[in-house]
Amino acid sequence: MDMADLVKRAQEAQSRAQAIQMQIAQLEIEGQSGGGMVRVVISGKADLKKVSIDPTLIKPEDREVIEDLVVAAHGDAKNKLERRIAEEMQKLSAEMGLPPGLGLG
């Protein structure tokens, strides 16, 4: 592989990585906790977009439990987002012919 080909491949990789980042930014990932009684939706940038709480949980004495469930649901959504990003970057690395461990993510 000559230098021009290497530069071309690097530019292609950068362009694809930017496209993937734009796609990821548009994602909405749902996380849940409490057996689905608390659900959150985050953007591809991990911004919290929506919180849904099962009405049976809403009792003043359970406020701390609900707060903990919201935090857990957000953590679940964020973990899913991070896995999705890693998968997309791994696919891009494989498409570009990069050896394992030398990925873009």
Side-chain angles (χ1 to χ4, degrees):
M1 179 179 337
D2 65 5
M3 187 58 117
D5 189 42
L6 186 60
V7 169
K8 180 181 175 187
R9 289 184 67 180
Q11 289 171 337
E12 289 172 1
Q14 182 179 17
S15 177
R16 292 261 301 127
Q18 288 173 343
I20 289 171
Q21 287 174 342
M22 288 175 56
Q23 289 175 330
I24 289 170
Q26 300 300 315
L27 289 176
E28 288 194 348
I29 305 290
E30 180 181 284
Q32 56 180 301
S33 64
M37 296 181 82
V38 174
R39 299 174 186 268
V40 299
V41 176
I42 63 172
S43 72
K45 293 183 177 184
D47 295 328
L48 185 60
K49 305 288 274 180
K50 182 179 179 183
V51 175
S52 299
I53 301 172
D54 187 296
T56 61
L57 285 178
I58 302 175
K59 298 175 187 153
E61 64 271 15
D62 293 335
R63 182 182 58 81
E64 288 183 26
V65 171
I66 294 169
E67 290 169 350
D68 290 343
L69 289 171
V70 169
V71 170
H74 182 267
D76 180 48
K78 190 172 179 189
N79 287 336
K80 289 176 182 176
L81 173 63
E82 289 170 355
R83 282 194 305 271
R84 178 77 177 268
I85 290 169
E87 289 169 5
E88 292 298 326
M89 289 296 133
Q90 186 176 21
K91 281 194 260 182
L92 177 59
S93 295
E95 288 173 13
M96 298 307 299
L98 297 175
L102 191 64
L104 300 170

